[in-house]
Amino acid sequence: MRLLERMRKEWFMIGIVLAIAGAKLKPSVGVNGGPLKPEITVSYIAVATIFFNSGLSLKTEELTSALVHIRLHLFIQIFTLAFFPATIWLFLQLLSITPINEWLLKGLQTVGCMPPPVSSAVILTKAVGGNEAAAIFNSAFGSFLGIVITPVLLLLFLGSSSSVPFTSIFSQLFMTVVVPLIIGQIVRRYIKDWLERTKPPFGAVSSCVLLMIIYTTFCDTFSNPNIDLDKFSLVLVLFIIFSIQLSFMFLTFISSTRNNSGFTPADTVAIIFCSTHKSLTLGIPMLKIVFAGHEHLSLISVPLLIYHPVQILLGSVLVPTIKSWMVSRQKGVKLTRPTV
């Protein structure tokens, strides 16, 4: 029973493994021009579905209460969409002389360019007892910013590496990301009471569509005999991702707990999770558009696929430590900073 319960809870991660395994067994099904017609069903319908779903689920009407914390929002958004990608770029200049697969390194850069997720950072902030309103605001606002800023960052740091012209890339982004998101928000205004009453499984719907995108992405990879991924590079990238996560969580903690920072312990909790988490749900569709037709798209996607479970795992492990620190601070007990 415990195993079944665990599998039910981690169904999405199991789904990713099965999607990649399925692509390995029968790549011809999901390649461009194949039975699934991913050039239409994925590039347009699936991506638009995810962002329409995001528009329906984003509770923007609840964000006004958090608007006053401008300094907090600036810290999170600048760290997420400026400091994070710039630091990763500098770090990759050092890693470029190593034997690590160059496309996995490019994938690490794409991780840095991603916006914050809508769910995981909020859930972990709430679990600790942090500033949930700030976490909701920055996750939602970061997602909106990411629609414009993430593609620009990807093109700035990596170029498109695609045969698709820049104008076509932004045109497709507008039609499959911005328009569905706006329509979703408009529809939400009219059915908000019904949504609050029935609580549709928005997360599950987006995750199922995302599994289809992951499947077709890896179908393209496994159908290309020229692509080879060595295990050494994969293990090193996994270690690097763990290191990046821990380092940035510790850095945000140190920065937000300085005597003159002006942030409360509850603010610090929101900063730690919102500044370091990255969105898989928004990231994979954007990579699919910006790197359309690229033979190494799946390799570029691998670090983001790894980063997603790592951020949830590390966050969950650190929840008790951060929670005990916050409680002690709120009681006025002066303790040393926790080891992260």
Side-chain angles (χ1 to χ4, degrees):
M1 285 294 292
R2 184 173 292 181
L3 178 61
L4 287 174
E5 199 173 300
R6 186 69 178 175
M7 289 176 68
R8 195 179 297 115
K9 187 177 180 181
E10 303 294 342
W11 70 270
F12 180 63
M13 300 311 304
I14 295 170
I16 289 178
V17 174
L18 292 176
I20 295 173
K24 175 69 173 176
L25 289 172
K26 198 71 174 176
S28 59
V29 175
V31 296
N32 284 347
L36 284 181
K37 301 292 182 186
E39 62 273 18
I40 298 172
T41 57
V42 170
S43 297
Y44 292 94
I45 298 174
V47 175
T49 299
I50 284 177
F51 285 96
F52 173 74
N53 197 38
S54 295
L56 275 178
S57 61
L58 280 175
K59 299 179 180 180
T60 49
E61 66 272 10
E62 295 182 2
L63 304 182
T64 52
S65 62
L67 280 173
V68 292
H69 303 295
I70 295 175
R71 188 176 180 183
L72 173 63
H73 306 325
L74 281 175
F75 183 100
I76 291 174
Q77 297 305 326
I78 291 173
F79 190 98
T80 305
L81 295 171
F83 179 82
F84 200 128
T87 303
I88 294 295
W89 181 83
L90 290 171
F91 183 47
L92 292 182
Q93 304 313 300
L94 298 175
L95 291 179
S96 63
I97 62 174
T98 68
I100 299 175
N101 185 289
E102 66 169 309
W103 299 106
L104 289 180
L105 292 181
K106 290 179 184 293
L108 285 173
Q109 183 65 68
T110 67
V111 170
C113 297
M114 292 300 148
V118 177
S119 57
S120 63
V122 176
I123 292 169
L124 290 169
T125 300
K126 184 178 181 180
V128 175
N131 190 335
E132 187 182 356
I136 292 172
F137 177 89
N138 282 283
S139 294
F141 185 59
S143 297
F144 281 119
L145 282 181
I147 291 170
V148 176
I149 294 177
T150 293
V152 172
L153 289 174
L154 289 172
L155 295 172
L156 175 66
F157 286 111
L158 299 172
S160 75
S161 298
S162 167
S163 57
V164 182
F166 286 1
T167 52
S168 297
I169 290 173
F170 283 103
S171 172
Q172 188 175 347
L173 279 168
F174 182 77
M175 294 304 299
T176 59
V177 175
V178 179
V179 171
L181 192 74
I182 293 173
I183 292 174
Q185 280 285 284
I186 293 172
V187 172
R188 179 180 174 80
R189 291 181 60 186
Y190 293 98
I191 62 172
K192 185 173 68 173
D193 293 339
W194 178 82
L195 291 173
E196 294 298 324
R197 189 170 61 253
T198 58
K199 299 188 183 301
F202 292 117
V205 172
S206 291
S207 295
C208 288
V209 177
L210 188 58
L211 287 176
M212 179 183 175
I213 296 174
I214 293 169
Y215 169 72
T216 57
T217 299
F218 277 87
C219 281
D220 286 334
T221 297
F222 294 129
S223 64
N224 188 341
N226 298 321
I227 292 180
D228 181 38
L229 176 59
D230 61 288
K231 294 178 182 177
F232 173 75
S233 291
L234 198 56
V235 171
L236 277 180
V237 165
L238 179 59
F239 174 75
I240 290 168
I241 286 173
F242 265 98
S243 301
I244 288 171
Q245 267 275 304
L246 282 171
S247 299
F248 281 173
M249 289 179 81
F250 187 69
L251 179 60
T252 53
F253 175 79
I254 293 294
S255 301
S256 60
T257 54
R258 289 180 294 108
N259 292 331
N260 60 345
S261 68
F263 299 126
T264 66
D267 292 339
T268 294
V269 174
I271 287 170
I272 289 172
F273 293 124
C274 293
S275 300
T276 60
H277 280 213
K278 295 293 184 177
S279 177
L280 179 69
T281 306
L282 303 181
I284 292 294
M286 285 189 182
L287 291 180
K288 194 80 176 176
I289 294 170
V290 176
F291 295 96
H294 195 285
E295 63 176 357
H296 293 99
L297 173 60
S298 61
L299 295 186
I300 295 172
S301 306
V302 165
L304 186 56
L305 292 173
I306 295 173
Y307 196 94
H308 176 74
V310 167
Q311 68 187 8
I312 296 172
L313 175 63
L314 283 178
S316 301
V317 168
L318 291 170
V319 160
T321 304
I322 298 173
K323 191 170 187 177
S324 63
W325 166 81
M326 194 181 80
V327 170
S328 69
R329 283 292 298 269
Q330 288 175 333
K331 288 180 178 179
V333 178
K334 188 176 181 180
L335 296 177
T336 55
R337 288 163 177 161
T339 303
V340 178

